[in-house]
């Protein structure tokens, strides 16, 4: 689970669209960066001890740089504001090596790429990879307006430009994306990749499931989770298999926090149930899954959970910790 950390320098910071900055990162020592595959992200360590995940959006054959796009999010818990306001060209940053929880499926007959807003970053990288491989795909990019859309020049100049459709909320209704019609129009061997705001992803997945798409053909990546607290939440216990210790998790406190207060550190990154860093095997008990990382099938299996956000439906959970 440990990923090596890298020291990089911000070689370039540029405004790519309204509220979106693109950062180009190069190795601080000038060496080649570790290779990555389309859909990969890096963890970026930010001032104040924050760690945030950003998808790589440059073509995946490049090793001389990583490029990330960051939305200035009004609801930010500090990460996007820090990137926009405190990180400048020339500064050094510590990042993780690339990790990929959103890979392209090898050998898919056809790929349908759907991006909403800043979700374009991994989707653009996927389009670059599929385009370079001569694969059969189409990409749809939905934003509030043209001024909110990043990478338009790059998409227009790409060899795969004819496979890209743009959809703007504030323009003619005829050009808006009809998700259900699009999903109904593709062949049965198509794999769907969707990234963007939670509501966008959920609308696309719900439409696909309503049309009978198999889960194995649905792939998504959430950028930010909603940490859900419910009035009826109650305290529960977690038992740690390796030490036998039992820790009470009060209402309103995460398992990670309760364990930390008891002197047991769990590695975390996003703390929003989206990155998978705190994924832990569950040996007994029933988790109350509140993450955006596991698939519905994985959640239903109840044999693993994200400790930064999920709770328990049973009085006690036995964790492989
Ligand atoms: Fe990211 Fe828990 S720390 S899912």
């Amino acid at each position: 689970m440990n990923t090596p950390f890298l020291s990089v320098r911000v070689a370039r910071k540029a405004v790519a669209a309204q509220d979106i900055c693109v950062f180009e990162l190069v190795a601080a020592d000038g060496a080649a960066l570790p290779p990555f595959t389309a859909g990969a992200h890096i963890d970026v360590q930010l001032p104040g001890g924050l760690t945030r995940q950003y998808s790589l959006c440059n073509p995946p054959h490049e090793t001389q740089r990583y490029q990330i796009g960051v939305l200035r999010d009004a609801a930010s818990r500090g990460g996007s504001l820090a990137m926009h306001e405190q990180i400048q060209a020339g500064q050094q940053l510590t990042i993780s090596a690339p990790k990929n929880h959103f890979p392209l499926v090898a050998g898919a007959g056809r790929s349908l790429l759907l991006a909403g807003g800043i979700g374009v970053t991994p989707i653009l990288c996927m389009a670059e990879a599929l385009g370079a491989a001569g694969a059969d795909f189409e990409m749809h990019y939905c934003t509030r307006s043209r001024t909110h859309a990043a990478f338009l020049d790059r998409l227009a100049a790409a060899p795969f430009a004819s496979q890209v459709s743009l959809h703007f909320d504030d323009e003619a209704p005829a050009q808006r994306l009809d998700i259900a019609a699009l999903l109904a129009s593709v062949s049965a061997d198509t794999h769907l990749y969707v990234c963007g705001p939670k509501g966008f992803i959920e609308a696309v997945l719900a439409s696909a499931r309503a049309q009978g798409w198999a889960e194995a053909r649905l792939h998504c990546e959430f950028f930010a989770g909603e940490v859900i607290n419910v009035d009826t939440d109650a305290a529960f216990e977690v038992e740690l298999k390796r030490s036998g210790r039992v820790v009470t998790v009060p209402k309103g406190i995460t398992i990670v926090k309760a364990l930390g207060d008891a002197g047991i550190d769990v590695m975390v990154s996003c703390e929003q149930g989206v990155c998978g860093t705190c994924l832990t095997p569950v040996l007994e008990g029933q988790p109350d899954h509140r993450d955006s990382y596991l698939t519905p099938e994985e959640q239903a299996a109840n044999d693993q959970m994200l400790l930064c956000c999920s709770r328990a439906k049973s009085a006690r959970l036995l964790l492989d910790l």
Side-chain angles (χ1 to χ4, degrees), residues 153-171:
D153 291 348
R154 182 167 150 192
L155 286 167
F160 52 82
S162 64
Q163 291 152 262
V164 179
S165 298
L166 306 173
H167 309 274
F168 305 111
D169 292 351
D170 66 347
E171 294 193 13

Side-chain angles (χ1 to χ4, degrees), residues 53 256 266-279 291-293 305-309:
Q53 291 70 43
V256 165
V266 175
M267 191 188 298
V268 291
S269 184
C270 70
E271 298 183 70
Q272 293 180 285
V274 297
C275 75
T277 301
C278 64
L279 187 66
D291 64 280
S292 309
Y293 178 79
M305 68 186 295
L306 282 313
L307 302 186
C308 67
C309 59

Side-chain angles (χ1 to χ4, degrees), residues 89 96 108 116 118 122 127 137 167 191 317 319:
S96 71
I118 193 62
F137 79 98
H167 309 274
H191 279 251
L317 296 169
L319 302 178

Side-chain angles (χ1 to χ4, degrees), residues 176-265:
R176 290 196 202 134
L177 181 60
D178 182 339
I179 295 171
L182 175 66
L183 294 177
S185 71
V186 295
S187 57
D189 61 348
T190 301
H191 279 251
L192 169 68
Y193 301 86
V194 56
C195 189
K198 190 173 167 67
F200 177 78
I201 294 176
E202 288 179 344
V204 170
L205 294 180
S207 186
R209 287 175 180 135
Q211 293 185 26
W213 282 59
E215 288 296 328
R217 292 197 289 131
L218 304 179
H219 313 278
C220 66
E221 183 159 78
F222 288 89
F223 274 117
E226 251 171 75
V227 177
I228 305 162
N229 289 307
V230 180
D231 275 353
T232 52
D233 278 352
F236 57 95
E237 291 178 335
V238 289
E239 180 179 346
L240 309 185
K241 166 89 169 138
R242 295 177 213 172
S243 63
R245 289 186 65 182
V246 176
V247 174
T248 298
V249 182
K251 175 179 178 172
I253 301 288
T254 66
I255 298 176
V256 165
K257 173 79 167 68
L259 291 177
D261 289 348
I264 304 151
D265 287 334

